[in-house]
Amino acid sequence: MKRVALLIDNIGLLWTMSAGSEQEDARAFCGREQMRQVGALENAAIAVDGEGRIAAVGKRRTVRDLADAGTMVVDAQGAFACPGFVDPHTHLVHGGSRESELPLRLAGAGYLDILRAGGGIMKTVRDTRASDPAELFAKASASLGRMRSFGVTAVEAKTGYGLELDTERKQLAVANALAKASPNTLVQTALPAHAIPPSRMADRDQYVEDIVRMLPVLHSDGAEFADAFVEDGVFTVAEGRYILQAAKRIGMKLKIHADEMVSCGGAELAAEVGAVSADHLLAASNEGLGQMAQAGVVAVCLPGTSFYLQKRPARARFMIDEAGLAVAVASDYNPGSSPSENFGLTMSLSLLSLGMSPEEVFVAATRNAAAAVDRAGELGVLRPGRLADLVIFDAPNPAYVLTHYGVSHVRSVYVKGQRVYG
Ligand code: NIG
Ligand code: FE
């Protein structure tokens, strides 16, 4: 056994999210029975090796003995702890802000009306094109720090505010630099299929071909996933299929912004192309959700977005209870539809507006969120061999963390065995 560099002792309640074997822990929890499992341990401790991986996790009396004179011991003072949160859907790197849109929306304009008029996503495209990499880095780095303060240790980051190769690449370069400079794990997604620039509307087929040409470059720049905004008035299901199949052929994994406003077949497409996740899904059909479950697609709910856009939230209860889906939650942090890095708020809204139980919310924010970025074998579960990414709270119990909402109860955050917050 490797030397124990760090011992986090005296954890009153630890939700490991482990189901037992390594094999079982390499996949998401699906449906009501599984999503209640949190792998609870009382009076627990975690031993971490010199490489930032978990050497042992279990009852204090067994784990404590692994420490030696050189081990740093942290007394958690009976606190509640869980795996570091994975935020599996963000638009982390972008320029500018969009507070100017709220009065328009409150006066009755729809999110897609604003986009059609050249605002919305297109406003952020202009701001991102005009920002130099240093500005984008400083802004995204501050956001990442805020995310860490809420317990987020791994983040998915999308492009999609370039809509032409140079700016899409600039977004990836900034995210690559952040991955080097920050302790967080970053997972990158190429989203040139986020909107059709108004100047390209007349030849939209050509823009779709341009996207297909951009994907190999973005993939070799570090984008592991490709994503597309499949929605009435944005990309059609046929266009989404064409783009995502092209991405798949070059070895990219797939995600979809699916059925956010209108039920247009996005969930069905996610199942058909074998996407790792389909996200939003406010208007997804029962059939589409059923097909996603069959195909093993993770359903990512974004309750902050439905709250901010004042829309009826996704049907998480149907997804879990009826469709038997693996549900994850994400912030969707972006300047237009979810301008907040507060993952604690995402989790509270998962309880309050999606109707999930505290157990389901924590599973959706850890283990299942890891599966949504194809990291189920690495992140989201505390077990020997995994990265020592974890959160310690100042709260009497997990339900308190969610119900005493809008403020952070995070005491400290560890990434790879290093304290990065608190
Ligand atoms: O996930 N729905 C499309 N894309 C983003 C919003 C992007 C924006 O408004 O800037 C989303 O909500
Ligand atoms: Fe999004």
Side-chain angles (χ1 to χ4, degrees), residues 327-342:
V327 169
V329 295
S331 70
D332 192 20
Y333 169 61
N334 76 75
S337 68
S338 187
S340 173
E341 300 93 335
N342 185 336

Side-chain angles (χ1 to χ4, degrees), residues 6-321:
L6 169 71
L7 178 78
I8 301 180
D9 191 19
N10 196 14
I11 302 171
L13 175 64
L14 180 65
W15 279 5
T16 65
M17 305 298 162
S18 174
S21 74
E22 198 165 332
Q23 234 180 350
E24 283 170 292
D25 281 346
R27 50 173 201 78
F29 278 152
C30 303
R32 195 180 169 93
E33 293 310 315
Q34 289 185 358
M35 282 191 67
R36 286 177 184 170
Q37 294 181 49
V38 289
L41 275 175
E42 284 174 15
N43 301 317
I46 300 174
V48 182
D49 69 21
E51 272 109 60
R53 292 198 176 264
I54 295 173
V57 45
K59 289 282 190 188
R60 291 180 74 185
R61 55 177 187 279
T62 53
V63 177
R64 254 189 321 200
D65 294 344
L66 305 172
D68 61 33
T71 302
M72 186 167 100
V73 180
V74 171
D75 181 356
Q77 299 170 320
F80 164 60
C82 74
F85 299 126
V86 178
D87 191 342
H89 180 145
T90 86
H91 302 255
L92 176 67
V93 179
H94 60 260
S97 64
R98 304 237 294 276
E99 60 281 9
S100 55
E101 281 169 23
L102 188 66
L104 302 177
R105 284 207 292 107
L106 294 179
Y111 174 82
L112 292 174
D113 299 332
I114 295 171
L115 174 62
R116 266 190 292 272
I121 293 171
M122 289 315 302
K123 151 91 166 74
T124 304
V125 167
R126 288 190 291 278
D127 290 343
T128 306
R129 287 179 181 173
S131 301
D132 65 40
E135 275 174 86
L136 292 175
F137 180 92
K139 181 167 159 63
S141 175
S143 288
L144 204 50
R146 273 182 214 124
M147 289 175 177
R148 272 198 300 279
S149 76
F150 292 104
V152 174
T153 54
V155 176
E156 186 257 14
K158 299 178 197 293
T159 68
Y161 292 124
L163 310 186
E164 41 83 359
L165 189 59
D166 287 350
T167 310
E168 293 282 317
R169 294 189 78 187
K170 180 168 72 177
Q171 285 188 271
L172 286 178
V174 168
N176 282 329
L178 277 171
K180 283 211 183 80
S182 96
N184 293 74
T185 298
L186 257 87
V187 178
Q188 302 222 52
T189 298
L191 181 57
H194 198 189
I196 299 174
S199 62
R200 308 296 307 274
M201 263 322 168
D203 67 343
R204 60 186 289 149
D205 291 352
Q206 268 312 309
Y207 184 62
V208 169
E209 293 300 338
D210 283 359
I211 292 171
V212 169
R213 275 192 288 272
M214 282 187 233
L215 289 174
V217 183
L218 302 178
H219 186 37
S220 66
D221 280 357
E224 176 179 338
F225 284 85
D227 193 345
F229 187 12
V230 175
E231 186 68 48
D232 242 20
V234 193
F235 290 92
T236 64
V237 168
E239 289 165 341
R241 179 184 293 116
Y242 185 75
I243 292 164
L244 293 170
Q245 280 175 344
K248 193 172 183 174
R249 276 197 298 276
I250 59 167
M252 298 182 86
K253 298 168 192 171
L254 309 181
K255 290 183 162 285
I256 309 188
H257 280 65
D259 300 326
E260 180 179 354
M261 321 282 171
V262 185
S263 182
C264 67
E268 289 84 345
L269 178 63
E272 178 194 323
V273 298
V276 173
S277 78
D279 306 31
H280 286 290
L281 301 167
L282 306 197
S285 69
N286 291 359
E287 296 72 31
L289 294 172
Q291 289 169 24
M292 278 173 49
Q294 286 290 320
V297 182
V298 178
V300 181
C301 294
L302 310 165
T305 309
S306 41
F307 171 71
Y308 190 71
L309 295 182
Q310 301 176 309
K311 296 214 171 275
R312 191 178 45 79
R315 295 180 297 139
R317 283 268 54 94
F318 178 88
M319 293 175 184
I320 297 170
D321 299 340

